[in-house]
Amino acid sequence: METKDIVIRTEGLTKNFGPLQAMREVDLAIYRGEIFGLVGPDGAGKTTIMRMLSGVMRPDAGKIYVDGVDVGANAEGAKLRLSYMPQRFGLYEDLTVAENIFFYGELFSVPRGERVARSNELLEAAGLLPFRRRLAGQLSGGMKQKLGLVCALIHTPHVLLLDEPTTGVDPVSRRDFWAILYNLRETGVTILLSTAYMDEAERCSRLALLHNGEVRYCDTPAGIKKAMPGALLAIISAGPRLLREIVSGQPGVLGVLLMGDRLHVRVDDSTRRIPELQMLLAGHGITGADIQTAEPGIEDVFVALLGGTV
Amino acid sequence: MNVRRLFAMAYKETLQIWRDPRSLAIALLMPLMQLVLLGYGVSLDIRHVPLCVYDQENSQQSRAVVKSFVSSDWFSISRTIHNQTGIDYALNRDQCIAALVIPADFSRRLAATGTAPVQAVFDATDVNTTNIALGYAQGVVAQTNAQIADGWAATHGILPSLVGQVDLDPSTWFNETLDSKNFIIPGVVAVILALVGAELTSLTISREWERGTMEQLISTPVTATEVMLGKLIPYFAIGFIDAGFCLVSAVYWFGVPFRGNIGTLLITTGLFIVVVMGIGYLISVRIRSQLGASQIALVLTMLPTTLLSGYTFPIDQMPAPIRAITFVVYSRYYVTILRSVFLKGSGLSDLWAPLLGLSIYALIIIWLAARAFHKALD
Ligand SMILES: Nc1ncnc2c1ncn2[C@@H]1O[C@H](COP(=O)(O)OP(=O)(O)OP(=O)(O)O)[C@@H](O)[C@H]1O
Ligand SMILES: [Mg+2]
């Protein structure tokens, strides 16, 4: 893609909180129309990077360009083109749904007629039309997040920054939420979101895996899966916890991850290790365990890449 | 500066004040409560101060002095005492607030020299009441002096004006003590406005931090100046409503005479509100919790205004170093202005000195406030 299509770019982005290096020379390039996902464990720096991109926090070093605007030099100019939805609910709980929308519409100087039409359209899509007169504080968690999205979209931003927008939201509301995001992408809006849900990570056009303030991997979901070292085996058996005890630390086993009723075991070489594991289990009196190679999910890859054994 | 954003801020803030019980209570109930507490406390309740009398002489003239105390209406005799220990006993047991002692040689000394001391002992536990009772006593004595002087001069064939024993102008003393509320109530208005103004605005920025709404707010194009002005507009309106309420109450409820003009009052009051609200706003920018901010606002307004503005404790009786400190107490200027406008009918030109003090203060506060708030998380 051409450079002009890069809508969000960071170069050497760095931020320290005292001795803590929260962001270490991060380079990112996000293209127009992407839904770009930021994933990483708690404290990885997802919120920190969102804050710097949205211009509410200044980096210690590095450059940020959002929609062609140098955020370091002209944060206020960038703010006109983007919308930021913080991790913590940031709207006024003592204002109604309609009053919140009005307020943010006015702050972005949305023309009056356009504001009314657009707010109705967005409320409709979010299923919030019947709740216009309700205080924002009295909405459910999912409705609050959708209201946040409506307020963020009232001025038709080019760039949308969403910090864990669906955390604590029920699956139905999450589906509504993603339907709105897909529609936005059609109109050319560039979306950067952080998420703790792996099914959401799979839906992103590209992902950055953030850890300790560094981007460890950045690729499409499929590309990231290919980057996983070793092969993944799924063992289905009664008592997966006991199974985990037995399998952990065996030669060739790189990682073990409990996934509901099954155990994901990452090994260096599947053809060699499957028979070995079968013998091992038989030795512990477990028979009939079903060991198969499995397609890794994003979660497996992340655990593998971050070197954790969960 | 964008007018739409400014009005959006002001409108939003108004809705929030309207729906916030704490802000509403400060805006509407606090002035009334303070007016009742401070206003009644100092002025109307002080009638019939219980007085013990120890008349050692019991002559016609000494009884006349006692009678003048009683007929003044400010004192009522609660006990008549016949020895010195009785005074201690009565004061200690709260049977009286003041004790009057007339020496045994009272009329003899008065006849011989034209002047005779009487002793008054006060229970100073309640400083305010004592101050006022002392003022009353001086008034009564001065009035009595005047009568005695007339009588003494007549019997000695001298014109009253030449009699040297009255060294105070009785009418001045009399008037001032009689109208102590006229002196105090304008000060009460200043105390209330300082407190309410700073308390209200101390909540405004800290509320955004505390409720987590600041991050989203500063991610919009709204400027720091628009945030400040937009937020202060509704508080300024409330400040004027409260000021109107206090000033009207001062005149029609407490009966303080108003001799000045309304324009002068409005201009100076507006200036004072700017100062106190600016101070509250500055606190609010720095302290990110509402409770913390409101407590600091309380300390920074109540303390200096009650102690150092001259509202109850006269500034010219303070030690020099403390008197110097009062020049940085913004309320002292407003207290001076209010008293002059109410009692003397002063106009803006008469008030140039305190007005200058207040204006300089307002400019500094505005300058600081305009710089205080930054659209950044750190
Ligand atoms: N204002 C701050 N002052 C000091 N340290 C901070 C501040 N903000 C963040 N940090 C630290 O920086 C690191 C990155 O924090 P950040 O909030 O960006 O993580 P995150 O990826 O958003 O985590 P989470 O998933 O919990 O939201 C953490 O160690 C955090 O404690
Ligand atoms: Mg976060």
Side-chain angles (χ1 to χ4, degrees):
Chain A
M1 277 188 238
E2 285 173 52
T3 329
K4 69 171 159 59
D5 279 324
I6 296 179
V7 176
I8 302 174
R9 191 168 78 222
T10 72
E11 290 167 4
L13 194 59
T14 299
K15 179 80 190 177
N16 302 319
F17 297 113
L20 179 84
Q21 294 180 283
M23 194 68 27
R24 310 174 192 211
E25 304 199 14
V26 167
D27 300 322
L28 272 182
I30 300 172
Y31 300 100
R32 185 174 315 285
E34 274 202 277
I35 298 184
F36 190 97
L38 273 180
V39 284
D42 292 348
K46 305 182 292 291
T47 298
T48 304
I49 196 169
M50 292 268 185
R51 285 176 168 163
M52 292 191 287
L53 290 175
S54 61
V56 302
M57 187 182 267
R58 293 193 142 262
D60 292 335
K63 288 261 174 201
I64 307 171
Y65 300 91
V66 172
D67 204 22
V69 178
D70 180 347
V71 178
N74 181 15
E76 299 306 305
K79 285 173 183 175
L80 283 168
R81 296 151 182 268
L82 61 80
S83 258
Y84 168 49
M85 212 176 124
Q87 184 167 3
R88 179 177 170 191
F89 183 66
L91 301 178
Y92 298 95
E93 303 213 330
D94 47 356
L95 262 53
T96 65
V97 168
E99 285 160 355
N100 269 296
I101 299 172
F102 172 80
F103 179 61
Y104 279 96
E106 289 295 290
L107 289 194
F108 284 98
S109 307
V110 180
R112 211 141 301 184
E114 192 182 307
R115 191 192 63 229
V116 174
R118 192 161 167 78
S119 120
N120 282 337
E121 189 184 308
L122 290 166
L123 282 172
E124 175 90 69
L128 286 175
L129 260 184
F131 305 106
R132 306 161 63 130
R133 314 238 163 273
R134 191 177 285 190
L135 291 180
Q138 290 166 5
L139 297 175
S140 72
M143 290 198 277
K144 278 185 185 170
Q145 292 306 92
K146 286 191 279 186
L147 175 60
L149 192 57
V150 171
C151 288
L153 294 175
I154 192 72
H155 70 286
T156 17
H158 296 173
V159 174
L160 195 53
L161 306 170
L162 309 171
D163 194 1
E164 300 201 26
T166 57
T167 299
V169 172
D170 73 77
V172 178
S173 289
R174 267 170 67 193
R175 214 168 48 211
D176 293 347
F177 205 94
W178 273 87
I180 300 174
L181 296 191
Y182 283 135
N183 280 335
L184 281 171
R185 186 171 60 174
E186 296 305 306
T187 65
V189 175
T190 306
I191 301 166
L192 171 65
L193 63 86
S194 65
T195 180
Y197 296 107
M198 291 308 135
D199 60 320
E200 289 188 350
E202 301 261 12
R203 294 172 167 203
C204 293
S205 58
R206 283 195 304 148
L207 290 172
L209 172 56
L210 210 60
H211 186 56
N212 280 336
E214 283 175 323
V215 175
R216 289 294 183 81
Y217 290 87
C218 179
D219 206 337
T220 59
I224 282 198
K225 287 178 197 168
K226 287 209 195 83
M228 187 184 81
L232 195 71
L233 304 177
I235 309 180
I236 303 170
S237 160
R241 281 172 192 284
L242 173 66
L243 219 55
R244 182 171 64 176
E245 300 289 305
I246 299 169
V247 172
S248 300
Q250 292 299 318
V253 171
L254 303 172
V256 200
L257 184 62
L258 197 58
M259 303 280 276
D261 63 339
R262 48 167 67 199
L263 192 68
H264 280 188
V265 181
R266 193 163 54 85
V267 293
D268 51 358
D269 178 356
S270 58
T271 42
R272 184 173 152 206
R273 300 298 176 192
I274 290 177
E276 282 182 18
L277 283 175
Q278 245 146 8
M279 279 174 56
L280 176 74
L281 294 185
H284 281 82
I286 301 173
T287 49
D290 179 14
I291 307 183
Q292 289 178 351
T293 55
E295 191 59 28
I298 292 286
E299 195 165 354
D300 299 304
V301 183
F302 287 163
V303 173
L305 294 178
L306 296 181
T309 41
V310 180
Chain B
M1 175 103 60
N2 174 306
V3 177
R4 267 181 85 180
R5 292 200 296 250
L6 187 68
F7 277 108
M9 276 311 297
Y11 177 61
K12 181 223 84 168
E13 198 70 18
T14 308
L15 288 176
Q16 286 195 297
I17 298 168
W18 186 244
R19 287 171 193 162
D20 177 31
R22 172 149 53 157
S23 293
L24 267 191
I26 296 173
L28 303 176
L29 291 182
M30 197 132 102
L32 184 66
M33 268 173 45
Q34 297 285 341
L35 207 54
V36 171
L37 279 175
L38 299 175
Y40 270 97
V42 297
S43 60
L44 300 183
D45 277 347
I46 301 182
R47 279 283 183 272
H48 303 288
V49 174
L51 177 77
C52 289
V53 175
Y54 179 24
D55 184 354
Q56 295 174 349
E57 189 183 60
N58 203 10
S59 67
Q60 191 191 344
Q61 266 175 316
S62 71
R63 280 195 301 269
V65 172
V66 173
K67 195 161 160 270
S68 65
F69 266 82
V70 179
S71 60
S72 73
D73 218 32
W74 295 315
F75 294 95
S76 304
I77 294 185
S78 63
R79 275 184 65 128
T80 308
I81 292 167
H82 304 290
N83 53 49
Q84 194 69 37
T85 50
I87 294 177
D88 294 343
Y89 183 88
L91 281 170
N92 284 336
R93 298 257 171 335
D94 283 338
Q95 289 172 350
C96 63
I97 287 178
L100 178 68
V101 184
I102 301 177
D105 56 357
F106 177 72
S107 45
R108 196 162 42 78
R109 277 174 69 171
L110 195 63
T113 64
T115 158
V118 296
Q119 187 193 10
V121 183
F122 289 91
D123 172 1
T125 323
D126 177 353
V127 178
N128 261 335
T129 308
T130 307
N131 270 335
I132 290 163
L134 177 62
Y136 290 163
Q138 283 167 326
V140 171
V141 170
Q143 198 184 33
T144 314
N145 275 347
Q147 287 161 3
I148 293 170
D150 284 347
W152 195 83
T155 51
H156 290 76
I158 308 170
L159 284 174
S161 58
L162 298 178
V163 177
Q165 132 270 15
V166 186
D167 56 353
L168 299 167
D169 175 6
S171 67
T172 308
W173 272 102
F174 196 52
N175 197 23
E176 188 194 316
T177 50
L178 171 68
D179 297 337
S180 75
K181 73 169 191 303
N182 293 353
F183 207 62
I184 302 273
I185 295 289
V188 169
V189 173
V191 172
I192 293 173
L193 287 185
L195 183 64
V196 172
E199 278 288 302
L200 276 176
T201 49
S202 75
L203 301 177
T204 182
I205 297 282
S206 48
R207 179 164 44 218
E208 304 264 0
W209 286 118
E210 196 172 289
R211 297 189 183 168
T213 52
M214 186 56 95
E215 194 169 348
Q216 185 139 22
L217 181 65
I218 62 178
S219 76
T220 72
V222 71
T223 67
T225 313
E226 287 157 4
V227 171
M228 175 181 82
L229 291 181
K231 277 175 168 288
L232 290 182
I233 286 170
Y235 292 109
F236 202 69
I238 292 174
F240 257 106
I241 292 170
D242 285 343
F245 167 73
C246 290
L247 294 169
V248 166
S249 300
V251 176
Y252 292 101
W253 185 5
F254 292 97
V256 180
F258 181 71
R259 303 192 176 107
N261 85 33
I262 305 273
T264 310
L265 197 62
L266 287 183
I267 291 170
T268 52
T269 299
L271 210 52
F272 185 65
I273 294 176
V274 166
V275 170
V276 294
M277 294 206 158
I279 290 172
Y281 175 81
L282 282 172
I283 296 169
S284 193
V285 169
R286 286 196 170 60
I287 311 294
R288 292 192 176 184
S289 94
Q290 291 190 81
L291 188 63
S294 98
Q295 279 171 348
I296 291 181
L298 186 73
V299 172
L300 285 188
T301 53
M302 263 315 233
L303 277 185
T305 304
T306 46
L307 297 178
L308 298 174
S309 71
Y311 133 76
T312 44
F313 308 111
I315 290 175
D316 52 19
Q317 285 172 27
M318 293 174 183
I322 295 186
R323 220 180 314 147
I325 294 174
T326 65
F327 283 98
V328 298
V329 176
Y330 46 91
S331 337
R332 82 161 270 170
Y333 303 109
Y334 187 55
V335 169
T336 308
I337 289 171
L338 275 184
R339 278 184 187 147
S340 307
V341 174
F342 265 86
L343 303 178
K344 288 195 250 166
S346 308
L348 288 177
S349 53
D350 308 314
L351 296 169
W352 69 269
L355 209 51
L356 184 69
L358 204 55
S359 306
I360 291 173
Y361 225 104
L363 284 178
I364 292 173
I365 295 286
I366 290 171
W367 187 78
L368 288 175
R371 261 155 198 68
F373 177 59
H374 297 287
K375 282 179 68 189
L377 289 178
D378 49 1

